[in-house]
Amino acid sequence: MRRNRFISRARHQADADTLAKLARRLSESGSRLEDRLWERRLVELVNDRLARGFGDAVEAALDELSTDHPRAYDDLADLAESCAESAVVEIDGEPHDALLLAIPVLAWSRYRLPATKLSASVLENVLTQVVGHLAPRGARCAVGDFLFSIDQLPESLGEVRDVAEQMFSAAVQDGRLKVDSKSLREPIAMLADARYLLAAIVVPQASPLFHWQQTGVDPDSKISAISALREQLDNVLTPVMTGCKFRTLAPGAFHAALRQADRELREFSLEAAVSFLKLSFDLTPSVLQATIAPFEEKRERSSPEIRIGISRTSEDDVVIEGVVWPLLGDDEERSIEEIEAALRRLGIVRLVSHAHRFPMEFCDDCGAPMFPNAAGHSVHTEPPDDGEDQPSAPLH
Ligand SMILES: [Zn+2]
């Protein structure tokens, strides 16, 4: 899918340096007027590089800024993400604004979560909901005919731009994008995870993108529009999500919607783990305890995460289910308080928090994360053996 790239290293580096320089100046700017000027130059450059398939230069500039210039990094990242997920599209010689949207769906199941092609009728229904609840009058919309897992979505800025352009062409035509699913990776099996629909809205340049932005429409009608869309999509997706408990989230611009889903998935995963233990093994929250501990990679500057090991109250060694809570830039102490509150809401009141940091360990055989037990060790989960339709232990 990616365009061929023939660009010299020197040229690539020069581009990255220029982008980093402009981003540093933008981050120091003290007025909207200055902001706008730097932003315009950055947007032109980023768009030009993305359009020519040189998204790597933008990623290199971000790398360059990531260690010493956090504000400039954030400014450039925001701007580059926005450039990748939107574009100006010509229709009959007239410029149009086009935005790529994602609609996240949180789901959990005792069986494999679907990541699948949508039937023609489901696709039609999703498109109807997007047109009816999100888009302004006369907008052109599109929906992709696939329910994606996170690792099947475009990742780099260049990949996002490529998919955005396909969606925008589909919006100009009949609104239905046939996704080439042969090249998609098989998703990693998780008890709880997010799935995503992709959509696009195309409107005449500088006119409202969403229904609630139109003149004469109450801006607060956004709230009812989003909740109606979520409710309708929950119905529309029911045949796709057989055997799953799921919840459609609010749609948003591609990158923002993915971030929001990552946040909401954390507490949803805790709920899923507790419901799963109740449904599959008849273990109620009152006979469970949770151990909470920070995990960190020693060498690299990867972000730490909190892992939660769930055990029976009588067993301090055996972890029967685990949940990973990535920090996503949040404060660690506050996150631990948030997790404790979430566990209490779910009815688990016996909580153990370890202050010491665990190494970020995964199982050598199956790649599953290791979880903390109450005794203070990091262990592999072992499902309880009294379930009816579950294997009694990991298969290795
Ligand atoms: Zn394993």
Side-chain angles (χ1 to χ4, degrees), residues 143-186:
V143 172
D145 69 348
F146 204 84
L147 183 72
F148 297 89
S149 73
I150 187 75
D151 35 13
Q152 294 172 328
L153 286 176
E155 195 180 346
S156 71
L157 295 166
E159 287 164 352
V160 173
R161 172 60 78 95
D162 284 344
V163 169
E165 279 172 4
Q166 293 170 30
M167 290 291 293
F168 302 157
S169 313
V172 175
Q173 287 149 27
D174 70 348
R176 294 147 186 88
L177 178 75
K178 275 196 178 352
V179 173
D180 175 16
S181 54
K182 287 193 292 293
S183 56
L184 297 178
R185 275 177 269 182
E186 186 65 22

Side-chain angles (χ1 to χ4, degrees), residues 362-370 380-381 394-396:
F362 296 87
C363 168
D364 290 337
D365 292 315
C366 70
M370 308 292 261
H380 203 295
T381 54
L395 296 169
H396 50 270

